[in-house]
């Protein structure tokens, strides 16, 4: 089983604490997530490149990338891509993501061209064999903490919430684009779900994820999952009480919380569901499936000027590659944001 992000963070070599405002910033972009959202939002535009191929999803993704770089001014950027030729998770669980609608052929074509477009610009991409952009997100967050950087993950996938920490925030893309999307830190995540960021993976494993075809523990919904983690502190403590004391401490704690908040006493029912055959196995299975690989080599060498992932980029290269998409305003924005060209900045004013 892959180590959880929490476990990996604990096993990493400690770094001296620093002022978060003085840290450098890594931007990790979940490229497939942006492409899917932009395909559905922009298909009506029917934008095509100079070769007549559909590019509305690629163009929308690039616009959001440029807006993000302009907003956050990162020191390094890496784009995670899914391996479209194989999946370790699907090999282990053939029904992984089953039930999702079949992808539109025009979206598939743009997904397959995304890496080439980003590489042509001189940006850093990573397509981990058998893995997904989710794993690049996890590894980016771990890389940032180990190197005492800050990190912002840009995605619409809730799985990335497991990586939120004092070093990592998640810009969760929703309707409204970059400027209308929430930037989630530990406090905001806690306000949304009632669990600390370090417990989010446990919370998600209990609840399940219908979009990935991962059922949760039967009878344990979001409220019960949050209450369990609030009262016990961790699922290790929950399972220990279920295994060694028939859940008596849990029942008492859950019922005390219900009395305090004016809710219904459900402790005995929750413990009964946790002790049911298959409950622990379902939880452990979900943890395995949901855990991102946090040990990938990102190939980032931020102290070596001119290496992929660092800005600025070559102005002629940016002008040529983005210009091929055929949207003049986007080309101008790309030149300003990616190359730091003084003339383009003056023109933008």
């Amino acid at each position: 089983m892959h180590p959880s992000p929490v476990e990996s963070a604990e096993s990493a070599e400690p770094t001296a604490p620093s002022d978060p405002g003085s840290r450098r910033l890594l931007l990790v972009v979940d490229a497939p997530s942006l492409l899917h959202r932009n395909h559905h939002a922009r298909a009506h535009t029917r934008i095509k490149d100079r070769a007549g191929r559909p590019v509305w999803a690629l163009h929308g993704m690039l616009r959001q990338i440029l807006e993000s770089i302009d907003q956050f001014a990162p020191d390094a950027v890496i784009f995670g891509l899914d391996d479209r030729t194989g999946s370790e998770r699907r090999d282990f669980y053939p029904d992984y993501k089953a039930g999702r609608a079949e992808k539109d052929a025009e979206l598939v074509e743009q997904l397959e061209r995304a890496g080439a477009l980003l590489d042509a610009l001189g940006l850093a991409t990573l397509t981990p064999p058998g893995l997904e952009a989710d794993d690049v997100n996890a590894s980016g967050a771990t890389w940032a903490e180990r190197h005492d950087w800050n990190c912002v993950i840009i995605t619409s996938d809730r799985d990335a919430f497991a990586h939120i920490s004092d070093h990592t925030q998640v810009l969760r893309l929703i309707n409204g684009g970059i400027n209308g999307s929430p930037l989630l830190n530990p406090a905001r995540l806690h306000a949304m779900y009632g669990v600390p960021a370090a417990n989010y993976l446990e919370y998600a494993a209990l609840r399940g994820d219908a979009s990935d075809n991962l059922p949760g523990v039967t009878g344990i919904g979001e409220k019960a999952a949050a209450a369990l983690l609030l009262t016990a502190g961790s699922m290790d403590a929950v399972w220990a009480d279920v295994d060694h004391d028939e859940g008596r401490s849990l029942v008492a704690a859950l019922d005390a919380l219900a009395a305090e908040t004016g809710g219904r006493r459900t402790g005995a029912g929750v413990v009964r569901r946790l002790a049911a055959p298959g409950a622990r196995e379902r939880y452990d299975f979900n943890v395995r499936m949901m855990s991102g690989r946090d040990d990938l080599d990102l190939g980032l060498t931020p102290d070596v000027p001119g290496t992929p992932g660092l800005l600025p980029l070559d102005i002629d290269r940016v002008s040529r590659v983005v210009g091929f998409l055929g949207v003049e305003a986007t080309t101008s924005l790309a030149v300003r944001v990616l190359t730091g060209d003084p003339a383009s900045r003056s023109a933008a004013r």
Side-chain angles (χ1 to χ4, degrees):
M1 182 170 69
H2 299 317
S4 74
V6 174
E7 291 168 339
S8 296
E10 290 175 346
S11 64
E13 293 184 7
T15 56
S18 66
D19 173 15
S22 68
R23 297 175 188 151
R24 290 192 282 181
L25 175 64
L26 171 65
L27 197 65
V28 182
V29 182
D30 183 344
S33 178
L34 271 66
L35 284 162
H36 278 84
R37 290 193 66 83
N38 280 286
H39 172 70
H40 296 296
R42 299 172 183 261
H44 67 280
T45 66
R46 311 306 297 174
I47 295 174
K48 296 185 178 180
D49 64 17
R50 300 195 187 284
R53 297 175 300 180
V55 291
W56 51 82
L58 288 167
H59 173 257
M61 174 192 72
L62 184 59
R63 287 289 306 200
Q64 290 189 324
I65 289 167
L66 296 173
E67 291 166 7
S68 301
I69 292 173
D70 202 23
Q71 175 177 332
F72 292 107
D75 296 278
V77 187
I78 187 162
F79 298 85
L81 295 160
D82 297 342
D83 182 358
R84 296 184 51 76
T85 66
S87 168
E88 289 185 5
R89 290 178 176 88
R90 190 168 289 110
D91 289 344
F92 179 72
Y93 174 45
D95 289 333
Y96 180 56
K97 297 186 178 180
R100 292 190 180 188
E102 187 174 346
K103 293 183 180 67
D104 187 289
E106 291 170 319
L107 169 59
V108 171
E109 181 186 345
Q110 292 177 80
L111 285 166
E112 291 175 346
R113 289 162 49 204
L117 170 67
L118 296 168
D119 289 340
L121 281 169
L123 294 166
T125 66
L126 179 59
T127 307
L131 299 173
E132 307 171 11
D134 291 348
D135 300 292
V136 181
N137 295 342
S139 291
T142 299
W143 185 96
E145 183 163 356
R146 286 178 176 161
H147 291 81
D148 199 28
W149 283 43
N150 286 329
C151 176
V152 172
I153 299 171
I154 301 179
T155 182
S156 60
D157 194 332
R158 290 187 299 178
D159 287 347
F161 295 172
H163 314 314
I164 291 175
S165 69
D166 290 338
H167 283 260
T168 297
Q169 301 180 81
V170 172
L171 185 69
R172 186 10 177 17
L173 288 181
I174 56 175
N175 295 336
I178 297 297
N179 294 328
S181 296
L183 183 62
L184 302 179
N185 58 21
R188 290 172 183 159
L189 184 74
H190 192 282
M192 288 173 62
Y193 293 102
V195 296
N199 292 125
Y200 182 82
L201 175 62
E202 297 172 306
Y203 167 82
L206 284 168
R207 177 200 62 199
D209 187 343
S211 69
D212 286 345
N213 195 32
L214 294 171
V217 175
T218 301
I220 305 295
E222 293 187 351
K223 289 184 179 179
L228 277 167
L229 291 164
L230 175 63
T231 56
S234 73
M235 284 306 296
D236 283 345
V238 167
W239 296 122
D241 192 56
V242 171
D243 291 342
H244 303 298
D245 194 31
E246 298 181 344
R248 291 186 179 89
S249 297
L250 272 177
V251 172
L254 290 169
D255 286 349
L257 178 64
E260 181 182 330
T261 58
R264 188 165 54 90
R265 289 159 60 102
T266 60
V270 169
V271 169
R272 191 163 51 250
R273 295 182 185 103
L274 291 172
R280 179 69 181 270
E281 290 76 11
R282 167 49 56 183
Y283 170 81
D284 288 341
F285 183 88
N286 283 351
V287 168
R288 171 171 181 161
M289 294 296 296
M290 294 175 174
S291 294
R293 279 281 298 275
D294 62 2
D295 58 352
L296 301 177
D297 181 1
L298 303 183
L300 292 175
T301 51
D303 295 321
V304 181
T307 58
L310 303 185
L311 301 177
L313 303 179
D314 178 72
I315 188 169
D316 292 334
R317 190 173 186 175
V318 170
S319 297
R320 183 177 66 256
V321 173
V322 181
F324 195 74
L325 298 181
V327 182
E328 185 175 342
T330 300
T331 303
S332 298
L333 178 62
V335 169
R336 176 174 69 82
V337 171
L338 297 179
T339 73
D341 177 53
S344 67
R345 284 201 298 269
S346 299
R349 296 191 189 102

